[in-house]
Amino acid sequence: MVSAQSEAVVARLDAPAADDPSRIAVVSDSHVSPRAEGTAMVYHRAADRLRTALDDAEARGVDAIVSPGDLTKDGAPWEYEQLDDILAGVETPFFSVPGNHDVPKASTETYKYGDSHETPPVDRFEREYAPDGTIPFVERVGPLDIIGLNTATQPDGSLTETHDGAVSADDVAWLEDTLATVETPVVLMHHNTPAMYDQFRTLRDTAHPEMGLPPVMRDPGPLVDVLTDAEVPLVISGHLHNLGVAKTGSTWEVTTPATGSFPQAYLIFEIDSDGTTVRYVPVADTEGMTEAHQARRSDGVTSMAYTSFASIRLATLPLVDER
């Protein structure tokens, strides 16, 4: 188990709250790959960092371990084989939604970041990692209704040449209908709401004008409208490899840091009658954290900016305290 002295409170939120206490672990952006090394992602550590997070969460007796995706580096078959080997020893219920790196990407003349391998189709991801083998889904964990959305692919294939995200009109309609039937919804998705992206735009405009912005959620308005109209208390996302808390209406979004790159951590959400406490749990010791920090800080202007942002946030925890 990771040392308790290294934990920190990310946020204390008034909602969701429940008389029946529950704890879930959230592990994101592990980017495992048995054939890659180095870069800002410290790929040669990725599998060990994911194992540490899973082992630590199980040792704490959480009710479930969930992921907002990017479990693999680029969705290669050998990456999924390594992931499945790691997950094979996990006894705690585990489920995930896909990230932009977990799904097929087509390489074209205008898009050079496509796959050079045969990535399994998204329905394989659903069968292996989603409750009942389908996404979107609703899974009851203690008092929570965890709602999983796929932001990484679209039925029309419009996201195969980009790492942007979107939620289809059918899934937005499904979400609206589903929210009318559940009591304590928590939405799990990979990409982020505009309020979270705005924090990165502010970072660029105020401190790092040459940094690039992360891939965005396309046409987020209908999804955000449903979330805010239904007063969904909590959205859990990944994608940005950074701690983050942002609010739209009464909906808080908490973005999970990457286990794969700095700051190499996962989150625990503790829900009780007082509300929700979000805890940061690192999965590397000082030496490992230093390696990851240096690797990310020295990997170009954008990576350096994101590293400084993560460091600032770690130094100013908790990011939100409603209590």
Side-chain angles (χ1 to χ4, degrees):
M1 182 180 293
V2 176
S3 171
Q5 285 79 8
S6 61
E7 296 177 25
V9 173
V10 175
R12 296 184 183 93
L13 308 176
D14 288 337
D19 291 333
D20 180 17
S22 181
R23 292 192 304 164
I24 62 170
V26 183
V27 178
S28 188
D29 294 270
S30 55
H31 290 278
V32 299
S33 176
R35 300 186 184 181
E37 294 185 358
T39 83
M41 288 303 304
V42 204
Y43 286 120
H44 55 290
R45 308 289 188 201
D48 286 342
R49 299 296 184 247
L50 177 58
R51 289 189 186 96
T52 297
L54 296 171
D55 290 347
D56 189 72
E58 286 210 291
R60 294 168 189 264
V62 298
D63 297 306
I65 303 171
V66 306
S67 177
D70 273 0
L71 294 166
T72 66
K73 175 182 177 290
D74 285 310
W78 51 88
E79 293 166 4
Y80 275 116
E81 288 175 6
Q82 183 178 51
L83 174 64
D84 290 344
D85 286 344
I86 294 170
L87 293 175
V90 177
E91 297 182 1
T92 303
F94 172 90
F95 52 90
S96 178
V97 294
N100 51 295
H101 284 271
D102 295 322
V103 297
K105 296 295 179 184
S107 182
T108 66
E109 291 183 1
T110 58
Y111 185 68
K112 63 180 180 179
Y113 300 108
D115 297 335
S116 59
H117 52 261
E118 189 71 25
T119 299
V122 71
D123 58 3
R124 189 268 183 193
F125 189 101
E126 294 176 334
R127 290 195 306 272
E128 294 296 325
Y129 312 118
D132 299 323
T134 59
I135 302 174
F137 62 75
V138 181
E139 182 72 0
R140 187 79 173 179
V141 178
L144 304 178
D145 299 294
I146 299 181
I147 299 173
L149 297 178
N150 176 8
T151 66
T153 63
Q154 289 279 276
D156 62 3
S158 59
L159 297 181
T160 58
E161 296 176 18
T162 178
H163 281 282
D164 287 352
V167 178
S168 70
D170 285 347
D171 282 0
V172 170
W174 174 90
L175 176 64
E176 185 172 22
D177 291 342
T178 299
L179 288 172
T181 68
V182 298
E183 296 181 2
T184 312
V186 173
V187 171
L188 179 71
M189 62 187 193
H190 185 68
H191 291 79
N192 315 89
T193 66
M196 190 67 74
Y197 285 119
D198 284 346
Q199 296 181 3
F200 281 77
R201 293 188 181 95
T202 300
L203 174 69
R204 179 196 61 186
D205 295 343
T206 59
H208 299 280
E210 296 182 359
M211 72 172 248
L213 291 172
V216 300
M217 175 90 76
R218 296 181 176 182
D219 190 24
L223 171 65
V224 172
D225 288 345
V226 169
L227 295 173
T228 54
D229 289 348
E231 298 184 341
V232 172
L234 180 62
V235 171
I236 299 173
S237 61
H239 186 49
L240 300 175
H241 295 208
N242 252 293
L243 282 169
V245 183
K247 195 174 189 181
T248 304
S250 60
T251 299
W252 284 107
E253 177 185 357
V254 176
T255 294
T256 312
T259 62
S261 66
F262 183 80
Q264 294 185 307
Y266 78 99
L267 300 180
I268 291 179
F269 289 72
E270 300 174 345
I271 300 91
D272 58 27
S273 58
D274 292 327
T276 296
T277 300
V278 185
R279 298 187 185 278
Y280 161 93
V281 184
V283 295
D285 59 16
T286 300
E287 182 179 353
M289 193 74 74
T290 301
E291 176 191 38
H293 182 276
Q294 173 63 13
R296 196 175 186 196
R297 186 186 66 82
S298 60
D299 196 45
V301 173
T302 297
S303 190
M304 181 272 292
Y306 290 9
T307 306
S308 67
F309 204 19
S311 299
I312 291 167
R313 287 176 165 177
L314 288 173
T316 55
L317 297 179
L319 302 178
V320 172
D321 194 341
E322 293 191 307
R323 288 180 263 146

